[in-house]
């Protein structure tokens, strides 16, 4: 039979415990199941030892239910959002498709008009939009995390202008098209990225210098693009301007396949890149102490980000602000946990939603997707600048 120990209010609970260390284990064993009765407090030493809660009011804090990982929620809801946006793009537009006709055409039945619009126009657009949006989103997140600046997206620091200038020069001077034009755009983005990195290479201050150097090089490349457009004939200039705006209207299964093959090579590299980014975020000194070469790692991350931007830009043209928007939006949706996969999903969702808006915001007019993404990104850029100014950062 156990007996309670009644302590007066004036006596601290600690005084009832043994003071001799040699006797504490034996005493604790004997009194393990004895309750301690004190005004306003009813607990047992067994509960204290194992951290259990009996469920009685006042005996402890109830165990909190496990919360869902925000990253998992973003990936799930982002995927569902992409599927919903693709379905809306298939059903609506300049030539709406009935649900029954859509199901029949997707099952392989040949329906005049509907099958051609579906398989040769809207489905290739959806495939290219998802792949390009994912590439832009992941690339923007790499640059923004590495440089620790939300403004450090490829289309802001000049990488996108490198691909655009090379593509315009290839179109207007050499008549490049198709795969050749895509390769020229990729090469131009790589060369400009290496040039910017070489100009900005200054040890620990590479991040701010890279952004400033990228803005300066982007201004120079924009001047070159304008000069090339003024020296070309009207038809060639119109084609170049259409490409510079960024559009999915020229999407084909061939381009979707090329983009898919390129991303199948680049996307697996995001896994080691994410781990290296987490180490770099601790600072160059800490990263070096952990056996990481900050300079070489930063160069490798830049090449990976540029490669993602270049292959997407070569197919769709520069879709403005997708790289800039995807990273910060994914960061907020993940409750401050930055993740390259969430940024890729967010970028794909942005492009598919922009595709639906571009095809339905004005009757009988198909806007380029780049116009919509630019219209959405410009206010967000202003908001980021105003917020940074208020925070003094």
């Amino acid at each position: 039979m156990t007996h309670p120990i009644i302590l007066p209010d004036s006596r601290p609970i600690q005084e009832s415990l043994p003071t001799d260390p040699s006797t504490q284990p034996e005493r604790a064993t004997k009194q393990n199941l004895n309750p301690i009765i004190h005004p306003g407090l009813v607990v047992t030493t067994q509960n204290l030892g194992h951290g259990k809660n009996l469920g009685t009011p006042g005996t402890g804090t109830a165990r909190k239910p496990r919360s869902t990982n925000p990253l998992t929620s973003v990936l799930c809801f982002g995927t569902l959002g992409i599927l919903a946006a693709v379905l809306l793009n298939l059903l609506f537009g300049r030539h709406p498709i009935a649900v029954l006709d859509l199901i029949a055409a997707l099952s392989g039945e040949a329906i005049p008009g509907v099958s051609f619009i579906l398989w040769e126009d809207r489905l290739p657009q959806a495939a290219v939009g998802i792949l390009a949006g994912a590439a832009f989103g992941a690339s923007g997140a790499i640059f923004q995390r590495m440089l620790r600046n939300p403004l450090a997206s490829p289309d802001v620091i000049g990488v996108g202008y490198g691909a655009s200038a090379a593509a315009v020069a290839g179109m207007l001077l050499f008549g490049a098209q198709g795969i050749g034009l895509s390769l020229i755009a990729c090469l131009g983005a790589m060369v400009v990225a290496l040039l910017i990195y070489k100009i900005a290479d200054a040890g620990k201050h590479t991040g701010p210098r890279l952004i400033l150097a990228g803005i300066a090089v982007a201004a120079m490349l924009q001047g070159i693009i304008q000069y090339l457009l003024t020296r070309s004939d009207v038809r060639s200039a119109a084609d170049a301007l259409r490409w510079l705006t960024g559009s999915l209207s020229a999407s084909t299964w061939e381009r979707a396949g090329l983009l898919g093959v390129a991303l199948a090579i680049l996307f697996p590299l995001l896994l080691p890149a994410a781990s290296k980014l987490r180490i770099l975020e601790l600072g160059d000194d800490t990263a070096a102490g952990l056996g990481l070469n900050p300079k070489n790692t930063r160069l490798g991350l830049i090449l990976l980000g540029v490669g993602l931007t270049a292959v997407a830009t070569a197919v769709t043209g520069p879709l403005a602000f997708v790289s800039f928007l995807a990273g910060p939006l994914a960061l907020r949706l993940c409750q401050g946990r930055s993740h390259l996969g969430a940024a890729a999903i967010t970028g794909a969702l942005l492009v598919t939603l922009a595709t639906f808006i571009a095809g339905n915001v004005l009757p009988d007019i198909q806007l380029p997707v780049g116009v919509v993404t630019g219209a959405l990104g410009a206010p967000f850029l202003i908001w980021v600048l105003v917020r940074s100014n208020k925070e003094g950062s």
Side-chain angles (χ1 to χ4, degrees), residues 25-310:
E26 183 179 0
R27 291 282 187 88
T29 303
K30 293 180 179 179
Q31 295 180 359
N32 189 35
L33 297 178
N34 292 339
I36 300 175
I37 302 177
H38 190 270
L41 177 64
V42 181
V43 295
T44 65
T45 56
Q46 184 179 16
N47 294 336
L48 293 174
H50 297 279
K52 296 180 181 179
N53 180 23
L54 297 178
T56 305
T59 61
T61 304
R63 181 179 297 176
K64 295 181 179 180
R66 293 182 180 179
S67 58
T68 306
N69 188 352
L71 174 60
T72 304
S73 301
V74 171
L75 295 178
C76 293
F77 287 107
T79 302
L80 293 176
I82 291 172
L83 294 177
V86 169
L87 180 61
L88 292 175
N89 288 327
L90 297 180
L91 291 173
F92 300 98
R94 295 183 61 183
H95 303 284
I97 298 177
V99 176
L100 296 179
D101 290 341
L102 175 64
I103 296 174
L106 288 176
S107 63
E109 182 179 347
I111 301 178
V114 173
S115 297
F116 178 81
I117 293 175
L118 183 65
W119 290 101
E120 300 300 327
D121 182 30
R122 296 186 182 179
L123 283 177
Q125 281 189 16
V128 171
I130 292 172
L131 294 173
F136 282 127
S139 176
I142 289 175
F143 279 93
Q144 289 165 341
R145 286 185 59 182
M146 181 182 62
L147 301 178
R148 304 175 190 177
N149 194 319
L151 298 178
S153 63
D155 47 1
V156 174
I157 64 175
V159 176
Y161 279 105
S164 300
V168 170
M171 293 172 64
L172 299 181
L173 300 180
F174 306 104
Q177 294 180 353
I179 299 178
L181 182 63
S182 300
L183 294 176
I184 291 174
C186 292
L187 181 61
M190 288 291 182
V191 171
V192 170
L194 292 176
L195 174 63
I196 294 172
Y197 182 79
K198 185 64 178 179
I199 295 173
D201 190 11
K204 296 181 180 180
H205 301 288
T206 300
R209 288 177 179 267
L210 189 68
I211 297 174
L212 295 176
I215 294 174
V217 172
M220 180 184 67
L221 293 174
Q222 192 172 9
I224 294 175
I225 293 173
Q226 297 298 328
Y227 173 77
L228 291 174
L229 291 176
T230 58
R231 301 296 297 176
S232 61
D233 61 88
V234 177
R235 182 175 300 177
S236 299
D239 294 337
L241 283 173
R242 190 178 302 109
W243 188 88
L244 286 172
T245 304
S247 176
L248 302 180
S249 59
S251 300
T252 61
W253 286 117
E254 180 184 7
R255 294 189 176 188
L258 291 174
L259 184 56
V261 171
L263 295 184
I265 298 173
L266 294 175
F267 270 169
L269 300 178
L270 293 177
L271 295 177
S275 62
K276 294 183 184 299
L277 275 172
R278 284 193 291 269
I279 298 176
L280 279 180
E281 288 174 344
L282 300 176
D284 287 359
D285 295 336
T286 304
L290 294 174
L292 195 69
N293 189 322
K295 183 177 180 180
N296 293 339
T297 302
R298 193 174 287 111
L299 178 59
L301 291 172
I302 288 175
L303 292 178
L304 176 59
V306 170
L308 291 170
T309 297

Side-chain angles (χ1 to χ4, degrees), residues 351-376:
V351 174
T352 51
L353 289 176
T355 304
F356 174 73
I357 295 173
N360 297 275
V361 66
L362 296 176
D364 300 328
I365 296 179
Q366 179 76 31
L367 293 175
V369 177
V371 173
V372 178
T373 58
L376 294 175

